[in-house]
Amino acid sequence: MSKEFCTLHLEEDLSISAESWCIECQTFLCLQCEKDHKRNRASKRHPIISIVEYKQLPALILESSNWCDSHDKKYDFFCHFHDTAGCVTCIKDQHKECRDLSPLEDVTKGIKSSATVEKVKNELQNLNDDVIKITSYLDSRLISLQKQKVQMVEEIQCTRKSVNNHLDKIEKRILDDLDTELFKIKSKLEKMLNELKSKKTKLDSLHNDFTKMMEFATNLQTYNALRQIAKITGEESSNIDNLKGKYELKDLHVKVEIVEALRSVEKNITAFGKIIVKTVPFNLQLKSLKELQINVLLPLKPKLISTLNISGVGQCKIHGCLILPQENFLFVDRSNKRILLFSQDGTFKRTVITFVDSPSDVCYIEDDIVAITFPEARLIHLVDTEKNRIKNTINIKGYGYGIESDGEKLFVRISNQDSFIVLDLEGNILRRIQIPGDCITRFTIIENNIICTNWDTSEILSYDMNGNLLWKYRHDEIRKPIGIAKDTSGNIYLSCQDSDKVVVLSSTDRSSFTFLSNSDGLNKPFSLHIDQQRSLLLVANEKDGKAFVYHIPK
């Protein structure tokens, strides 16, 4: 075993045996340097392990550096566009035009407690379980194959007794054929068994590396290691999946067909029979995925575009907002029964229309047409925002709150009927989806699933179009969520009234982080909307007349 020397003393051409390793600085330390390291204000909280523990670290950790190879400086930021870490010099050399830069500490913070860690851990275990299952299956096939051989040999020998010595040669020929075919099958099965045992050894090693990583690696090392493990497990998962169609995993039924003429006309028999192998498709249920998608939800860096002062047109209560294609902003003022139009620079343009009833939510349909719900009146108005008039009115016979549209259909939450309805633009009900919850009022649709907020239980819930619950999510930062919207990546943005925050939730691995908070001006935020094409987020406080437009990094 090679001996390690103190990194700091090697820089002075002194070879002093190292006793420990600083995980953060990635340097070897002798006893004295370790004491100095612990006393130094900048490094006293760095994790330090013994040389024995260091030598047990897996290669995927040791090969992941905290330092920039190009500039010999510590990584301190992460570029979302290039998906890579960098040092301060890298910004000047390689990231001058990059806008989506985040402090590395913010990016890797909480990585070990993220859902991604559990996902990779579970997939490693699933792969291991699959290899064990297939190995056991192949072992049983070998035993079954041997039993089939015994049965066929007995049949062959029993038949042979009824014929004369002339059949000795062809008996030997059929037995040889049998052994040859079975040998081929057995060889293939044993070859696959050996390959799977090799994979098992590799997965055991990777699983052990994973445990070491969780115990000793830095956040960045963990982040990089997770990506590497995900790549390996993805490849192995694909390999395991590809085994399904392999010849070796098909259920073999080998039998011998005795020539019928053998029993009557012995002199004309030239063959004892032939070996026939019938296969049944592989039907073991495996756990592992074809490809493990690692999508760590990294904290995004919001960029404020503008602040809108809606209260300039009087006290209001904003329950809905919308970014129009013409780059105007539309607000639903529930208390004053009106919708307000602002330009992109925050200038008030006009009151589009004042209603008889109190509006709730709004969605864009096409051209200048928007749809607005009126819960107490049990109506939906289709409004032409350019001509300032109601184009059509739909009676929905229920308290309609949240509303969405794909340009051809309307999706509406009817809270007093515990349901969602799907209508055409003429108001004909195409479908009704029963989903209970009086306090479910707002929703969005992602990949044909309904994602909705329950402001009473502070839960985010996902249902399929048949009303089956797929998952639900709660977090301490998500308190009284109401507004909900999605970006192009499928991330879910939530306006949380009681925590004064906008929280971003990944719909794939259900990890979340705070995007905006009270320090950004949020005060009981109620509604929000995302313009996916321009990556803009509009979020409006309910009562203080403030709204904010942010650019969302892609």
Side-chain angles (χ1 to χ4, degrees):
M1 183 179 292
S2 61
K3 189 173 184 179
E4 308 296 346
F5 297 98
C6 177
T7 305
L8 302 179
H9 281 91
L10 282 177
E11 294 175 355
E12 300 174 357
D13 295 328
L14 295 175
S15 299
I16 298 179
S17 297
E19 301 295 331
S20 59
W21 164 261
C22 176
I23 296 175
E24 189 73 23
C25 298
Q26 293 188 308
T27 54
F28 293 105
L29 302 171
C30 63
L31 287 175
Q32 185 58 46
C33 288
E34 181 180 348
K35 293 178 182 178
D36 295 339
H37 209 66
K38 291 179 178 179
R39 284 196 296 265
N40 189 298
R41 179 177 296 179
S43 60
K44 65 181 181 180
R45 290 185 175 86
H46 288 185
I48 296 175
I49 61 175
S50 68
I51 291 296
V52 174
E53 292 173 317
Y54 166 80
K55 293 183 180 297
Q56 294 175 350
L57 293 177
L60 60 89
I61 294 178
L62 298 178
E63 292 171 359
S64 176
S65 175
N66 295 330
W67 293 79
C68 175
D69 293 334
S70 302
H71 306 109
D72 195 29
K73 294 181 180 179
K74 191 174 181 180
Y75 290 135
D76 53 12
F77 80 92
F78 187 88
C79 176
H80 296 274
F81 179 78
H82 291 101
D83 193 29
T84 185
C87 67
V88 291
T89 306
C90 291
I91 297 179
K92 300 177 183 178
D93 294 347
Q94 304 168 17
H95 302 277
K96 287 182 180 180
E97 306 300 324
C98 298
R99 297 181 180 180
D100 299 337
L101 302 177
S102 299
L104 190 59
E105 183 179 354
D106 292 347
V107 173
T108 60
K109 183 179 180 181
I111 185 66
K112 289 188 177 181
S113 59
S114 70
T116 303
V117 170
E118 190 65 24
K119 189 175 183 180
V120 174
K121 179 181 177 182
N122 290 340
E123 185 59 14
L124 279 172
Q125 185 60 51
N126 288 342
L127 279 168
N128 189 68
D129 292 344
D130 286 347
V131 170
I132 293 174
K133 181 180 289 187
I134 295 174
T135 300
S136 176
Y137 172 76
L138 290 176
D139 283 335
S140 68
R141 297 310 306 141
L142 286 172
I143 295 173
S144 175
L145 191 64
Q146 183 60 35
K147 290 180 179 179
Q148 292 178 47
K149 177 181 177 179
V150 171
Q151 293 171 356
M152 288 183 291
V153 169
E154 290 178 352
E155 181 183 0
I156 292 168
Q157 293 178 342
C158 180
T159 304
R160 184 182 180 278
K161 292 178 182 179
S162 65
V163 300
N164 57 32
N165 293 333
H166 172 73
L167 299 180
D168 287 344
K169 290 183 179 180
I170 56 176
E171 179 199 22
K172 184 178 184 303
R173 187 186 307 163
I174 190 65
L175 288 174
D176 289 343
D177 288 345
L178 173 64
D179 286 333
T180 299
E181 194 64 36
L182 293 177
F183 177 78
K184 289 178 183 178
I185 298 171
K186 182 178 180 182
S187 297
K188 290 179 180 179
L189 295 179
E190 289 175 340
K191 180 181 178 182
M192 181 175 282
L193 272 173
N194 291 333
E195 291 174 354
L196 287 168
K197 289 176 181 178
S198 176
K199 288 182 185 295
K200 178 66 170 59
T201 301
K202 181 179 178 181
L203 286 171
D204 287 341
S205 175
L206 194 59
H207 194 278
N208 183 57
D209 290 351
F210 182 91
T211 303
K212 294 292 184 181
M213 173 190 72
M214 295 304 300
E215 184 175 0
F216 300 112
T218 65
N219 285 339
L220 177 59
Q221 290 172 333
T222 302
Y223 176 78
N224 291 331
L226 283 174
R227 293 164 65 91
Q228 187 174 342
I229 292 175
K231 180 180 179 182
I232 294 172
T233 54
E235 292 172 354
E236 291 299 333
S237 295
S238 180
N239 291 337
I240 290 295
D241 187 71
N242 289 337
L243 291 179
K244 294 180 181 180
K246 291 285 187 179
Y247 172 88
E248 290 84 347
L249 291 181
K250 295 180 179 179
D251 195 358
L252 305 178
H253 294 282
V254 186
K255 71 176 185 177
V256 62
E257 290 184 355
I258 303 300
V259 177
E260 188 63 30
L262 180 65
R263 306 181 188 277
S264 57
V265 189
E266 296 178 352
K267 63 179 181 179
N268 294 325
I269 300 302
T270 59
F272 210 95
K274 65 178 181 178
I275 305 300
I276 295 177
V277 179
K278 290 186 176 181
T279 62
V280 176
F282 177 78
N283 60 0
L284 283 183
Q285 296 298 316
L286 303 181
K287 298 179 180 179
S288 59
L289 306 172
K290 283 188 178 181
E291 182 178 357
L292 179 60
Q293 296 289 340
I294 296 302
N295 181 25
V296 182
L297 182 59
L298 300 176
L300 305 174
K301 184 179 181 181
K303 180 181 179 181
L304 179 64
I305 302 299
S306 62
T307 300
L308 287 74
N309 185 14
I310 309 172
S311 60
V313 295
Q315 188 175 4
C316 51
K317 190 175 183 181
I318 304 301
H319 272 210
C321 62
L322 189 64
I323 304 175
L324 295 172
Q326 302 86 352
E327 300 185 2
N328 293 324
F329 304 116
L330 194 70
F331 296 94
V332 175
D333 180 1
R334 183 164 172 77
S335 60
N336 294 300
K337 305 178 182 179
R338 59 183 177 173
I339 51 175
L340 309 171
L341 189 67
F342 284 75
S343 64
Q344 58 180 326
D345 62 3
T347 303
F348 173 67
K349 298 186 71 172
R350 66 181 183 275
T351 297
V352 175
I353 192 169
T354 300
F355 304 100
V356 175
D357 306 297
S358 296
S360 178
D361 197 13
V362 61
C363 73
Y364 176 76
I365 299 178
E366 61 180 355
D367 299 329
D368 300 312
I369 309 301
V370 299
I372 302 174
T373 55
F374 296 80
E376 293 79 9
R378 307 187 181 194
L379 299 174
I380 297 173
H381 285 323
L382 303 188
V383 175
D384 188 326
T385 58
E386 184 63 27
K387 296 180 179 180
N388 303 336
R389 67 181 182 87
I390 297 174
K391 181 182 178 182
N392 189 22
T393 297
I394 299 172
N395 190 329
I396 54 175
K397 300 179 182 179
Y399 293 167
Y401 283 92
I403 187 167
E404 292 282 334
S405 175
D406 61 4
E408 297 179 353
K409 299 185 294 295
L410 296 175
F411 301 81
V412 187
R413 173 59 179 175
I414 311 297
S415 63
N416 65 319
Q417 297 176 3
D418 281 346
S419 67
F420 288 84
I421 58 173
V422 184
L423 310 97
D424 61 24
L425 298 183
E426 298 300 319
N428 300 305
I429 296 179
L430 307 176
R431 186 175 185 181
R432 184 179 296 272
I433 306 163
Q434 293 299 137
I435 294 178
D438 291 342
C439 300
I440 295 176
T441 57
R442 302 301 172 99
F443 68 97
T444 188
I445 297 175
I446 299 179
E447 295 182 350
N448 210 34
N449 292 326
I450 299 172
I451 316 295
C452 50
T453 58
N454 186 317
W455 55 262
D456 181 51
T457 62
S458 293
E459 291 178 320
I460 315 303
L461 306 109
S462 175
Y463 293 87
D464 63 22
M465 285 298 174
N466 293 317
N468 299 310
L469 178 65
L470 303 177
W471 54 262
K472 60 183 177 179
Y473 182 83
R474 294 190 66 179
H475 194 280
D476 291 342
E477 300 296 321
I478 301 174
R479 299 197 296 275
K480 197 177 180 180
I482 298 181
I484 182 170
K486 65 179 182 293
D487 65 13
T488 54
S489 300
N491 296 321
I492 303 166
Y493 289 68
L494 308 161
S495 59
C496 306
Q497 277 220 305
D498 284 358
S499 55
D500 292 332
K501 292 179 178 180
V502 169
V503 174
V504 180
L505 168 65
S506 168
S507 61
T508 54
D509 64 7
R510 262 84 76 191
S511 57
S512 64
F513 69 89
T514 297
F515 184 70
L516 299 170
S517 65
N518 182 267
S519 62
D520 297 299
L522 298 190
N523 180 15
K524 302 293 182 183
F526 193 98
S527 59
L528 50 75
H529 178 251
I530 289 177
D531 183 331
Q532 295 186 356
Q533 185 174 358
R534 288 172 287 177
S535 296
L536 295 179
L537 166 69
L538 173 62
V539 55
N541 293 337
E542 182 180 19
K543 297 180 180 179
D544 69 0
K546 296 290 185 182
F548 309 91
V549 183
Y550 281 90
H551 176 262
I552 303 173
K554 293 183 179 180

